[in-house]
Structure formats: C-alpha cells, structure tokens
Amino acid sequence: MNHRELGGVGEVSEVGYGAWQIGGDWGEVTENEAVAAVEAARDAGIDFFDTADVYGDGRSERIVGEVLAEEIASDDVTVATKAGRRLDPHEADGYTEENLRRFVDRSRENLEMDTLDLVQLHCPPTDVYYRPETFDALATLEDEGRIANYGVSVERVEEGLKAIEYPGVETVQIIFNPFRQRPAELFLDEAAARDVGVICRVPLASGLLTGALSRDEEFPEDDHRNYNREGDAFDVGETFAGVPFEAGLDAVDELDERLPDDRPLPEFALRWILDHDAVSTVIPGSTTPEHVRANAAASEAPPLSDAEREAASDVYDAHVREYVHQRW
C-alpha cells in the first residue's frame, strides 16, 4: 500500500475505506459483515477510515471505533468523521459553535477518542462557506483539543474552492471519478497549491463503475440507489455520482469494450483517480472482504495507459458530461 500526505493531517494510505455502507442507506448489513469489512480493510494495509455521525445514526462510528480501538490508541490509523447533517432543519444558521461542539462530543463518544483526528463539515449548505464564524468555531474546537484537524466535505467544485480560502482547512472531500471529472479542471491544482489534502468519495459511482450492475437490477427499499435516484432524500449527486442509471450503464458498456482484458473496471476507476497527483486518498466502501482487498490492491496497480485515459475522456464526453459537468 502506497501512502500520500493528507494536508496537515499526516501520511495516509492512498486507498482508504469509506464506512457509509456499514452504517446504513445501502440495504441491510449485519454487524458481523460490517466488522469483517473493516478488519479486511485494515489487513489489506488501509490506515485511513472515513465515517460520519449520521451513518446509521452513529452505528458506523461505533463499529469503526470498536474494531480499530487498539490501532486508534497507538495512532496506527487515521479516522475521519463528519458533522452537521444531524441538524433538522439542515440550514446554514445551525452551523454554530454550540451545535458543532455537541456533534463532535457525540462522535468522540461513539469512536471512543479524546481527540478526533479529522472532522469535516458534512456537505453543508453553500452559505456556510461564506460564514467565517463557522470556521472560527472549528478552530476553537481544535484549540480545545476536541479535534486535531478540520476540513469540509463538499457537493460542488465551487464550494471546495471557497473552503480552501480558509487557512485552517486541511482537507476537502469531493466526488471525483471517471464519471465526475470536473474537479480536475481547476480544483485539484488549487488544492495542491495550498497543500490541502483531497479525499475522493463515491469513486465507483455507487457501483456503476464496478461493472456488476445490470439494467434489471433491483435495489432494497432502504438502499439510496432505490430511493434517492431523483434526489428525494439528499443531493442526487451522491447516488450513481448523479448520472442517470441507464446512461451510466451505457457508459460502462463502452468502457468495457475499450479497456484491456487485464484491467478490471473497478481497478481502472480507482487508478484513474490515483493517477492525479493532487489526490491524497480515495475511499471506496464495501461490505465484502474480497472487494475491499481488491480495492486496496489498486494502490499497486500500474498507472493507466494513454489509451485508457483517452477511453475515460471519450466515454465521459459521449455519455456523462451533459448530466453532471456544470451541475457539480
């Protein structure tokens, strides 16, 4: 497993583990399955774990904290969590020091950590990025020792560009994959120029870029790929990276035709992301140990060829760009 610098947070595995799936919104996941997935990630050399206080109402944080208790205590892993989405209503006015302290303290309890390694604002309303007092509140929590570092998780490139204007922001988490290419136009260069770490989520476009989904796929009622296809629950960009399901499958079909036989589609997608030097870590999630190990192995896979990069560009332009490029 190769490692990269994550802003001022330190060095982390370039393939991390996204713990959304073990919390909820992806169908039923048993406790044993969740534990096995986290253990497989650690055994595969992953030492960066990303979770949030709303994943399963804290379930994801608690499982990560319990499974990795010894590694957390010895600083062998870095755990990132998120705060803000517990607000109801989820409005900019709620991002106060009082509320953030309350959310952070709850995460500290769930993870059994005195000081959280990294806390990210969890895709707040755009107005939050224009309120310095919110970032002052995070700095206060850092001064108090509740958190060691802070960053943001954003929906839109413009939000990421605004966030990195604040000197205390160490990381930006953003959706970036072969179906969401816009961050490569400006954002990655700007983040690198400021030594801001970049965490890439939804790298496999909610399973589209695994090549394992079919046109007659049926998802459980409690799977966001069922109930959030139109953005009814949260930003539609979080589901299939915002690409309409059928268009995504058409794109996958063309990629399959153009990729070499020895390049599995998930490896191609993760390698496409990692081939951008400004990326610090990519955080695929899975509840299947075999898939977790395969994702981790992408760190050692060869970079993409010119033909593979050309295929990614052509397929994006033909099937995906019109749906996502200017939206996020």
Side-chain angles (χ1 to χ4, degrees):
M1 173 64 67
N2 294 310
H3 286 71
R4 304 186 183 189
E5 289 294 326
L6 179 63
V9 177
E11 196 176 77
V12 300
S13 56
E14 65 179 11
V15 178
Y17 179 78
W20 183 14
Q21 287 180 322
I22 66 172
D25 299 316
W26 293 81
E28 182 180 358
V29 177
T30 68
E31 189 89 2
N32 287 340
E33 288 173 327
V35 169
V38 176
E39 290 178 339
R42 187 69 190 107
D43 290 343
I46 289 172
D47 59 27
F48 180 75
F49 294 81
D50 178 84
T51 182
D53 58 358
V54 292
Y55 294 167
D57 194 27
R59 182 193 193 216
S60 176
E61 287 184 326
R62 289 191 293 272
I63 291 172
V64 168
E66 290 169 5
V67 175
L68 301 176
E70 291 185 9
E71 288 90 345
I72 289 172
S74 58
D75 292 327
D76 289 336
V77 297
T78 299
V79 178
T81 191
K82 309 182 195 76
R85 300 296 294 197
R86 298 186 66 77
L87 291 169
D88 187 15
H90 183 232
E91 297 175 347
D93 287 345
Y95 279 78
T96 64
E97 182 179 314
E98 178 184 3
N99 283 335
L100 289 173
R101 182 179 287 108
R102 177 163 53 88
F103 298 151
V104 162
D105 284 348
R106 184 177 185 270
S107 292
R108 291 167 64 214
E109 182 178 349
N110 285 341
L111 287 162
E112 297 187 30
M113 298 176 68
D114 291 333
T115 302
L116 299 176
D117 295 330
L118 173 64
V119 169
Q120 307 154 93
L121 298 183
H122 197 171
C123 298
T126 301
D127 283 354
V128 167
Y129 299 98
Y130 294 86
R131 299 189 178 192
E133 59 270 24
T134 298
F135 296 88
D136 290 343
L138 291 169
T140 296
L141 297 178
E142 185 177 0
D143 290 341
E144 293 172 352
R146 284 177 159 84
I147 65 178
N149 302 276
Y150 61 88
V152 296
S153 181
V154 304
E155 296 290 2
R156 299 166 53 216
V157 165
E158 290 80 4
E159 294 169 343
L161 291 170
K162 182 61 181 176
I164 63 177
E165 293 181 6
Y166 295 97
V169 170
E170 295 290 351
T171 65
V172 172
Q173 183 175 140
I174 194 166
I175 297 176
F176 184 54
N177 62 50
F179 288 174
R180 284 281 287 273
Q181 298 190 16
R182 189 179 174 204
E185 289 184 351
L186 175 63
F187 172 74
L188 293 184
D189 287 343
E190 292 296 319
R194 291 169 169 80
D195 294 323
V196 172
V198 177
I199 303 166
C200 298
R201 73 177 184 277
V202 196
L204 301 178
S206 306
L208 274 176
L209 284 165
T210 66
L213 302 181
S214 64
R215 282 168 170 75
D216 58 356
E217 198 81 34
E218 294 186 6
F219 299 100
E221 287 187 10
D222 57 350
D223 189 319
H224 72 98
R225 295 172 294 181
N226 179 342
Y227 65 76
N228 195 56
R229 288 197 189 189
E230 305 299 326
D232 293 334
F234 40 82
D235 192 282
V236 70
E238 302 287 347
T239 300
F240 302 126
V243 183
F245 188 59
E246 294 293 334
L249 291 175
D250 290 342
V252 166
D253 287 345
E254 184 172 338
L255 279 174
D256 277 338
E257 293 176 1
R258 295 185 58 172
L259 294 182
D261 292 339
D262 60 350
R263 179 76 81 177
L265 186 58
E267 180 187 290
F268 160 81
L270 295 174
R271 202 59 252 175
W272 184 90
I273 299 167
L274 290 171
D275 283 355
H276 292 80
D277 292 339
V279 169
S280 302
T281 186
V282 57
I283 51 170
S286 177
T287 57
T288 305
E290 179 184 0
H291 293 163
V292 172
R293 289 190 287 268
N295 291 339
S299 173
E300 299 292 343
L304 299 189
S305 66
D306 290 343
E308 288 174 305
R309 286 192 293 272
E310 183 179 358
S313 179
D314 291 348
V315 169
Y316 182 74
D317 288 344
H319 297 283
V320 175
R321 176 183 287 270
E322 65 178 296
Y323 300 109
V324 305
H325 198 76
Q326 296 304 328
R327 186 168 183 178
W328 291 284

Short mmCIF file of all heavy atoms in Angstrom, two decimals, residues 74 97 162 181 233 244 300 323:
data_model
loop_
_atom_site.label_atom_id
_atom_site.label_comp_id
_atom_site.label_asym_id
_atom_site.label_seq_id
_atom_site.Cartn_x
_atom_site.Cartn_y
_atom_site.Cartn_z
N SER A 74 -2.92 3.54 19.39
CA SER A 74 -1.49 3.58 19.08
C SER A 74 -1.18 4.49 17.89
O SER A 74 -0.04 4.52 17.41
CB SER A 74 -0.98 2.17 18.79
OG SER A 74 -1.69 1.58 17.72
N GLU A 97 -21.07 27.23 16.85
CA GLU A 97 -20.07 26.59 17.71
C GLU A 97 -20.75 25.64 18.69
O GLU A 97 -20.25 24.53 18.94
CB GLU A 97 -19.28 27.65 18.45
CG GLU A 97 -18.18 27.10 19.35
CD GLU A 97 -17.40 28.18 20.06
OE1 GLU A 97 -17.01 29.17 19.38
OE2 GLU A 97 -17.16 28.05 21.27
N LYS A 162 -14.05 27.69 -2.46
CA LYS A 162 -14.27 28.68 -1.39
C LYS A 162 -13.68 28.19 -0.08
O LYS A 162 -13.05 28.95 0.67
CB LYS A 162 -15.76 28.97 -1.24
CG LYS A 162 -16.08 30.03 -0.18
CD LYS A 162 -15.45 31.37 -0.51
CE LYS A 162 -15.74 32.40 0.56
NZ LYS A 162 -15.04 33.69 0.29
N GLN A 181 -15.62 14.32 -13.63
CA GLN A 181 -14.25 14.73 -13.94
C GLN A 181 -13.98 16.21 -13.71
O GLN A 181 -12.81 16.64 -13.76
CB GLN A 181 -13.93 14.38 -15.40
CG GLN A 181 -13.97 12.89 -15.69
CD GLN A 181 -13.42 12.52 -17.06
OE1 GLN A 181 -12.73 13.32 -17.69
NE2 GLN A 181 -13.72 11.32 -17.51
N ALA A 233 -33.98 12.32 -1.05
CA ALA A 233 -33.52 12.26 0.34
C ALA A 233 -32.33 13.18 0.59
O ALA A 233 -32.22 13.77 1.67
CB ALA A 233 -33.15 10.83 0.71
N PRO A 244 -27.73 9.51 -14.55
CA PRO A 244 -28.90 8.64 -14.69
C PRO A 244 -28.47 7.19 -14.89
O PRO A 244 -27.51 6.91 -15.63
CB PRO A 244 -29.62 9.21 -15.92
CG PRO A 244 -29.20 10.65 -15.98
CD PRO A 244 -27.77 10.66 -15.49
N GLU A 300 -1.27 -0.70 -5.91
CA GLU A 300 -0.08 -1.28 -6.53
C GLU A 300 -0.26 -1.56 -8.02
O GLU A 300 0.66 -2.04 -8.68
CB GLU A 300 0.28 -2.60 -5.82
CG GLU A 300 0.61 -2.43 -4.34
CD GLU A 300 1.91 -1.68 -4.12
OE1 GLU A 300 2.71 -1.58 -5.07
OE2 GLU A 300 2.13 -1.20 -2.99
N TYR A 323 -24.90 15.46 -18.12
CA TYR A 323 -25.70 15.32 -16.90
C TYR A 323 -25.04 15.91 -15.66
O TYR A 323 -25.74 16.30 -14.72
CB TYR A 323 -25.98 13.83 -16.65
CG TYR A 323 -26.74 13.16 -17.76
CD1 TYR A 323 -26.10 12.23 -18.59
CD2 TYR A 323 -28.08 13.44 -17.99
CE1 TYR A 323 -26.78 11.61 -19.62
CE2 TYR A 323 -28.78 12.82 -19.02
CZ TYR A 323 -28.13 11.91 -19.84
OH TYR A 323 -28.81 11.30 -20.84
#
